[in-house]
Amino acid sequence: MFGRVAGAMLAVAAGVSPVADAARAADPSFADRVRHADVSRGRDLADSMCSDCHNFDRDGSAMMGPNLYGLMGTHIAAIADYNFSPALLARRQQVWTVETLSAWLKDPAGFAPGTRMGFDGIVSDRDRADIVAYLGSLSGGK
């Protein structure tokens, strides 16, 4: 008993919380968050945050930003009929996955320095997961 208490006290004194460590260990991966995300909520978030610049319709045209229908699983900057920034063109060998979309939505300027997308990003893991799940639902049967 004393060993466990002493270890916990040492961890706290060192700035490490055993409770915080256990909570971190229990945190789901981002992919798990997306698997359990709320697609309907993601649609609502995308509509409120993204629809001024992006279209989400199967045959929709580009607006200020590219149409995002069918984006998941495609190469970055590979949507036809859209003039991508050099920052995104430099990443065209990469594919839009759960992880790349999360990184992009969290910090567009950090993901692709020099991007023309004027959006600060989405800090909330839940919000990003819901939006990524929504974008993944726009697959057209892919």
Side-chain angles (χ1 to χ4, degrees):
M1 172 75 173
F2 178 74
R4 223 179 306 145
V5 172
M9 289 173 62
L10 287 173
V12 170
V16 178
S17 166
V19 173
D21 283 349
R24 266 194 298 278
D27 275 349
S29 70
F30 191 77
D32 285 337
R33 287 181 185 273
V34 171
R35 276 190 285 281
H36 300 290
D38 184 338
V39 173
S40 177
R41 184 173 179 275
R43 181 192 63 235
D44 293 343
L45 287 168
D47 186 49
S48 69
M49 287 189 234
C50 313
S51 65
D52 284 349
C53 299
H54 295 281
N55 193 325
F56 301 96
D57 298 330
R58 178 187 296 265
D59 296 316
S61 59
M63 297 168 60
M64 183 179 293
N67 181 355
L68 300 180
Y69 186 91
L71 178 74
M72 185 71 80
T74 66
H75 282 270
I76 293 174
I79 296 172
D81 301 327
Y82 188 77
N83 182 23
F84 287 93
S85 68
L88 281 175
L89 288 171
R91 291 182 161 265
R92 67 180 168 254
Q93 296 305 313
Q94 291 179 285
V95 172
W96 287 120
T97 64
V98 167
E99 292 79 15
T100 55
L101 277 169
S102 176
W104 168 252
L105 290 172
K106 186 173 187 175
D107 182 12
F111 180 84
T115 183
R116 291 189 300 246
M117 187 161 105
F119 181 70
D120 291 334
I122 302 168
V123 175
S124 166
D125 287 345
R126 178 182 180 208
D127 290 353
R128 281 195 326 279
D130 289 349
I131 291 171
V132 169
Y134 168 63
L135 292 173
S137 77
L138 302 176
S139 66
K142 288 186 198 172

